[in-house]
Amino acid sequence: MLPELILHEGREKSLLRHHPWVFSRAIASLPKSLPNGAVVRLISSCGDFLAYGHYSAHSQITVRALSFEENQLPDEDWLFARLSEAFERRRALQRRGNEAVRVVDAEADLLPGLTLDRYGDFLVMAISSYGMDLWRQLIVSVLRRLCPEVSIYERSDLKARRKEGLEERCGVLWGQEPPDCLYLKEENTILLPCNLKTGHKTGAYLDQRDNRRFAADFAAQARVLNCFSYTGGFGLWCLKGGALSLTNVDLSRAALEQAKSAVLENHLDPGRCQFIKADVFDFLRQEQQKGARYDLIILDPPKFADGAAHLKRACRGYQDINRLGFELLAEGGMLLTFSCSGALERALFQKIVADAAVDAGVCAQITAHLSQAGDHPVALSCPESLYLKGLAVRHCGRFKAKTDRLLVAQ
Ligand code: SAH
């Protein structure tokens, strides 16, 4: 019999809606000397079964629910079924010509604590909870049954593991060591650079796939500015879309070098490209002083807000880059602007972008609401799985006079 955790009265509501997190304050009683990472049964104050979940002794989230059906005990067969469903759901994306896809997105795929990405012949996994960490070998053996041909690599170099009392951990779990850089087909069009051992996330920003392709629609004959370019994914699509010029800006020299190689690997024209190692905030200010103009600007910064505590400062950062972005945008041009801070809600992000346009004296219209790609789904029962928000905004002309600007600002 599995250990049982009993919830306080009224605390079962979120579990009944299949939200997977149970915080310590919701728990009325738990067995003495419960081992960290154990699979437990969650029971309501009336004695009803609610869910099975992984217990975390050190985290604020004491239990992460795995299964809400009493007859579906999370064991090896259960894991096999859940992982094969996750693979199945990504088949269409792979058939469309994507060699790099997210296969398991933690809570959103009902496997909290586990992220799994497929990169060609490699699977890369990241584990963020104690219970999943204990399951490492079980996961590997199930994955080998599901995809016998692939190698498995771990990228659990996640800060979140410290809250669970876990060390960061990377390395080969099965098969071959990945090469330093893989070029993998994206939407049957671009070869995306993926660095499985040292790149950001598990090797690439797969969540921006749809938005990179979307950017290409506005690139024909455009002067493109790709801010926070990383290894240049947006830029590659823009070159493919016929960009007149492309300026990639990033702080990381290694990422820019990779972006340069990726242009050649894709047989695109390096003569149209600039790779600038700079702080985007400084670069945008300098360009503004020079009176530079661009027809397409992409702003895809790293997470400015790690949680609600940093939200105010983060908002100022978003406002600054977006104002500068609008100031550099040519009339009729497009700004593609993003935030991957989960703590910042879409409505507030839109307000920040609207304020930035007013500050820049620009009339603008939203032509598309952008989000994370479909292999990074959002469980309706767990809205926290939505984090990436973007807006496509068109520059429709400048406010005529300062007084007009003030009127609009009110
Ligand atoms: N658009 C990319 C992902 C961007 S990730 C893609 O589609 O693949 C964010 C990038 O911002 C990282 O490469 C990081 O090096 C860079 N960065 C972070 N802060 C920066 C700053 N102040 N100025 C310039 N680059 C910055």
Side-chain angles (χ1 to χ4, degrees):
M1 188 68 177
L2 293 173
E4 293 194 341
L5 271 68
I6 300 168
L7 267 58
H8 285 296
E9 197 183 332
R11 292 299 190 141
E12 69 285 357
K13 288 195 189 111
S14 63
L15 279 172
L16 290 173
R17 294 177 57 97
H18 288 197
H19 192 290
W21 296 343
V22 180
F23 292 92
S24 57
R25 59 181 178 272
I27 293 166
S29 79
L30 74 174
K32 279 205 187 81
S33 64
L34 180 56
N36 199 358
V39 175
V40 296
R41 284 164 61 90
L42 289 160
I43 306 292
S44 78
S45 58
C46 313
D48 296 329
F49 170 87
L50 293 168
Y52 296 105
H54 270 146
Y55 169 66
S56 275
H58 305 301
S59 168
Q60 279 188 339
I61 303 173
T62 306
V63 181
R64 290 176 178 80
L66 296 159
S67 155
F68 298 93
E69 304 295 331
E70 192 162 15
N71 62 3
Q72 289 179 17
L73 181 72
D75 56 13
E76 183 163 353
D77 289 344
W78 171 90
L79 187 63
F80 184 89
R82 196 145 275 184
L83 284 171
S84 53
E85 276 165 26
F87 274 98
E88 208 42 57
R89 291 193 197 112
R90 271 68 176 190
R91 295 266 185 253
L93 190 59
Q94 289 177 304
R95 275 197 296 270
R96 211 167 76 199
N98 287 292
E99 292 175 317
V101 300
R102 172 146 300 185
V103 179
V104 173
D105 200 2
E107 275 79 0
D109 280 294
L110 306 171
L111 284 164
L114 179 66
T115 302
L116 182 71
D117 293 336
R118 178 151 191 170
Y119 290 94
D121 295 333
F122 291 89
L123 286 170
V124 182
M125 69 187 212
I127 292 177
S128 62
S129 75
Y130 209 98
M132 279 296 167
D133 205 72
L134 294 181
W135 276 8
R136 176 177 291 100
Q137 286 317 320
L138 180 68
I139 298 166
V140 169
S141 84
V142 169
L143 290 175
R144 286 182 53 200
R145 276 166 64 199
L146 277 166
C147 313
E149 73 284 10
V150 299
S151 296
I152 307 172
Y153 192 76
E154 179 166 13
R155 278 296 303 275
S156 298
D157 44 341
L158 307 167
K159 274 196 222 123
R161 280 171 67 90
R162 287 192 212 140
K163 294 185 192 153
E164 297 273 323
L166 293 164
E167 300 282 314
E168 296 189 5
R169 187 181 159 139
C170 296
V172 176
L173 293 172
W174 174 253
Q176 309 292 315
E177 177 159 344
D180 286 339
C181 180
L182 276 174
Y183 284 98
L184 294 173
K185 262 277 190 277
E186 182 161 80
E187 297 290 310
N188 212 19
T189 304
I190 284 292
L191 290 171
L192 187 73
C194 305
N195 296 63
L196 277 44
K197 287 187 290 188
T198 54
H200 290 188
K201 297 213 172 196
T202 57
Y205 287 89
L206 304 180
D207 52 355
Q208 284 286 26
R209 180 190 308 108
D210 297 354
N211 303 325
R212 285 193 282 264
R213 179 163 85 162
F214 179 79
D217 289 350
F218 307 98
Q221 291 304 308
R223 295 160 291 177
V224 180
L225 176 59
N226 183 19
C227 297
F228 309 97
S229 60
Y230 188 50
T231 53
F234 274 99
L236 294 172
W237 277 93
C238 291
L239 289 171
K240 193 80 182 172
L244 200 63
S245 66
L246 166 69
T247 307
N248 280 328
V249 186
D250 202 282
L251 270 179
S252 158
R253 193 179 299 281
L256 290 166
E257 286 300 326
Q258 181 87 79
K260 228 181 260 182
S261 308
V263 169
L264 300 175
E265 195 73 28
N266 278 281
H267 306 292
L268 294 162
D269 180 4
R272 299 180 186 201
C273 307
Q274 275 191 291
F275 302 88
I276 297 181
K277 181 187 175 309
D279 182 305
V280 164
F281 289 83
D282 297 340
F283 176 81
L284 291 176
R285 273 188 213 103
Q286 283 159 15
E287 288 291 279
Q288 184 220 18
Q289 276 158 18
K290 284 197 234 157
R293 286 289 177 275
Y294 294 91
D295 307 299
L296 173 58
I297 300 180
I298 296 138
L299 297 175
D300 182 25
K303 193 161 38 162
F304 285 164
D306 229 350
H310 307 118
L311 198 54
K312 217 168 170 181
R313 204 183 50 203
C315 290
R316 275 201 298 276
Y318 287 119
Q319 169 115 6
D320 271 358
I321 49 168
N322 281 284
R323 177 180 44 77
L324 289 160
F326 279 118
E327 284 174 355
L328 291 177
L329 201 59
E331 201 164 323
M334 289 293 291
L335 176 69
L336 303 188
T337 179
F338 298 94
S339 161
C340 59
S341 304
L344 176 63
E345 294 209 354
R346 186 178 276 280
L348 179 53
F349 179 58
Q350 183 171 322
K351 183 172 182 320
I352 291 169
V353 175
D355 288 349
V358 170
D359 285 350
V362 167
C363 303
Q365 59 180 192
I366 294 172
T367 65
H369 294 268
L370 308 171
S371 190
Q372 60 216 48
D375 52 343
H376 297 59
V378 180
L380 278 177
S381 58
C382 183
E384 292 85 349
S385 41
L386 172 63
Y387 62 97
L388 182 62
K389 304 148 290 284
L391 293 170
V393 190
R394 180 183 286 125
H395 186 316
C396 300
R398 303 194 77 79
F399 291 140
K400 281 189 220 76
K402 199 159 189 189
T403 45
D404 291 356
R405 283 164 63 174
L406 287 175
L407 276 176
V408 174
Q410 272 161 15

